[in-house]
Amino acid sequence: GVSVANSAEADISGDNRIIGNQGAFGLEVIHTSTVIMSDGTISSNAGVGVHCGETSHCEWAGATTIDSNGKGGIEITDHSDAYLDGGIDVSGNTGVGVLVDLSSLLNSLGGNTINNNTDDGIVLNTMSVLKIAANDTITGNGNLALECNNNSMVSGDISTYKPKKCGAAFQAS
């Protein structure tokens, strides 16, 4: 697929498509890099659709679709942050729709769709944070809409995300 690494920046706008790659990721953003993608498609890749890791920043806007990837939709890991700016569709992936792991942050401005992934819609692990400004549609996933462990934090209203399992995760108001 496409790799953005070593403090690089990429602005991917318009009808760009990252489709049908056979590697570990459709789009890989690592080593303190930045990607801003608008109105594109990341689909039918053998591995994870997007991997945003190692203190990188990833942001999706417009009518971006991340679907039908073989090992999950989006991974945000290792002290990275990501923004779903509304209208983003993360659906039909094999595995988790959005995984937030290893002290990372996911900001959702609301109006996104995370549907019909074979595992959970969103998984929040290992001291990670989910900030929700407005509701997303998270339905029809293979397991839970939202799963978070006890070391994570959620900020915003998650009452409509059902089913969910957040144990003793801290919820800020």
Side-chain angles (χ1 to χ4, degrees):
V2 175
S3 184
V4 180
N6 301 325
S7 302
E9 295 181 21
D11 185 353
I12 305 170
S13 59
D15 189 22
N16 287 289
R17 299 174 188 176
I18 301 170
I19 297 176
N21 297 287
Q22 297 304 308
F25 311 109
L27 172 62
E28 175 186 46
V29 185
I30 57 172
H31 305 300
T32 319
S33 297
T34 299
V35 162
I36 299 173
M37 183 174 192
S38 178
D39 300 320
T41 301
I42 301 172
S43 181
S44 303
N45 297 288
V48 175
V50 179
H51 174 80
C52 183
E54 302 171 23
T55 63
S56 293
H57 170 80
C58 297
E59 187 167 347
W60 296 276
T64 298
T65 300
I66 302 169
D67 71 344
S68 304
N69 296 290
K71 294 187 179 173
I74 301 172
E75 289 179 345
I76 307 150
T77 186
D78 200 15
H79 307 282
S80 296
D81 67 274
Y83 287 74
L84 301 177
D85 291 346
I88 310 308
D89 183 6
V90 182
S91 298
N93 298 289
T94 300
V96 174
V98 181
L99 171 65
V100 188
D101 199 11
L102 298 173
S103 301
S104 295
L105 166 68
L106 172 62
N107 282 286
S108 173
L109 299 183
N112 303 294
T113 301
I114 303 172
N115 288 344
N116 302 320
N117 300 288
T118 63
D119 203 338
D120 296 327
I122 298 175
V123 173
L124 193 60
N125 281 333
T126 319
M127 297 174 41
S128 294
V129 176
L130 171 61
K131 289 184 176 181
I132 302 165
N135 284 338
D136 294 315
T137 301
I138 306 176
T139 59
N141 295 290
N143 199 9
L144 302 170
L146 172 63
E147 181 176 2
C148 40
N149 71 19
N150 294 344
N151 296 321
S152 297
M153 185 181 88
V154 176
S155 175
D157 182 8
I158 59 172
S159 64
T160 62
Y161 300 166
K162 295 179 183 176
K164 64 182 169 280
K165 177 182 170 188
C166 283
F170 178 74
Q171 182 165 0
S173 54

